[in-house]
Structures are given as C-alpha cells and as structure tokens.
Amino acid sequence: MDIVIREALAGEFGELGEITAQAYLRDGLLTFGEDDWYLGELRDVAKRAAAADVLVAVRGGQVLGGVTFVPSGGPMADVARPGEAEIRMLAVAQTARGQGAGEALVRACVDRARAADGCTGIVLSTQAMMRAAHRIYERLGFVRAPERDWKPLPDHDDLLLLTYELALRHAPPGPPLRPLHSHRDTTSGGASATGH
C-alpha cells in the first residue's frame, strides 16, 4: 500500500502532535526531556496549522508522521530569508521509520516550495544527532549551510541547530528538453538517450 502525503485533518491533530512529541522525546532531542517547554509546541498541531501547512504521511488510513511547511514569509519561520520556505518539525512514528514516510514528507515540501511563486529556496534546522534525517536531506539535494547554524536557547551552548538549504531552480517555460544525442541499446533492443 502506498504512502499518501496530504494536509492534516483537524481530527488528526492530536495523533500527529503525539507522534511528533514522542519522536523528539525518544530520540533525546529535547534538552529538558519531559519538562521541556518545546514539548507543548510539538503537540500543538492546531497552532501550527493556523500559521503554516501541516502535512501528514498516511498509509491505509494510519498517520505515519508529519511535517510543517512554512511558506516564504510565514510567521513560523526560524531561519528562512526572504524568498525561502522552511521545513519544521519533521517526525515519523517509531513503528513507521525506514519505510519512506520521512523522505516522502520532505519531497512534498520541496514540491510545494517549487510551485510557490517567487520561492528561491528551502531551508531547515536539525540537530547533529539526527543522522537519518540528514541522509534524507542530502539525498534530496540539500547542503549544509554552517554559517546559518544557530542556538535556539542562547544560554545553552550544547544545543546548536544545524542548517541545511536547497536552492530552487525554476525551469523557464518552454518545450521539454531533448537529449543532445541518442544511441540504440543493443542489449535490450530498446532505444535510450543520453545528454551532456
């Protein structure tokens, strides 16, 4: 069964909030654990949905995870510059990890950014220990932007958020690109094309 990415329904906010909170807690991403003030923000999907686009990954009616997509200029942006969208609070349920939900959510955010008029890039913040997420970002073309790293709690030097960014290149309107030359694939009897 395929994973479907769509906007979260109000009836899913509680479930998604708990998935997000538990992902951050279980992965040790909250400085103060159960007492961390950010836990309330992670659970408050309705607040996020009022200010940004909250997307969910669903398979067979079950919510696997979610992400917050902040369009350019959105009030939930932490590090986005003018013209940039931002990805926030990517989380996948422990039982659904490794099945493609996280990558599908990030791809959906990139697609939204590409479709937005005037959006020149997309940015996100992550913690050093979130290596599985880093692999997703890098696979999709994001690059580290260490000059944009930041501390959400200035008094806590141990919490440094790493920044990744993806520059978006919008293709000019026109006919589809054609390969520079093509050759016949003699092993399969089909034709293939290559371009340089």
Side-chain angles (χ1 to χ4, degrees), residues 171-185:
L177 298 176
R178 294 188 184 149
L180 296 177
H181 62 340
S182 62
H183 67 276
R184 189 123 182 103
D185 178 350

Side-chain angles (χ1 to χ4, degrees), residues 113-188:
R114 280 200 167 104
D117 287 340
C119 188
T120 60
I122 189 166
V123 65
L124 60 90
S125 299
T126 183
Q127 292 185 34
M129 63 179 54
M130 300 172 88
R131 289 180 185 89
H134 301 171
R135 288 190 295 274
I136 291 171
Y137 306 143
E138 290 164 3
R139 202 166 40 245
L140 296 179
F142 284 81
V143 295
R144 279 279 290 118
E147 70 283 359
R148 296 177 75 175
D149 293 352
W150 62 290
K151 296 177 184 177
L153 301 171
D155 296 339
H156 293 274
D157 288 336
D158 57 333
L159 180 57
L160 176 69
L161 294 182
L162 311 179
T163 302
Y164 278 78
E165 61 187 11
L166 175 67
L168 300 178
R169 290 174 180 78
H170 298 278
L177 298 176
R178 294 188 184 149
L180 296 177
H181 62 340
S182 62
H183 67 276
R184 189 123 182 103
D185 178 350
T186 57
T187 60
S188 66

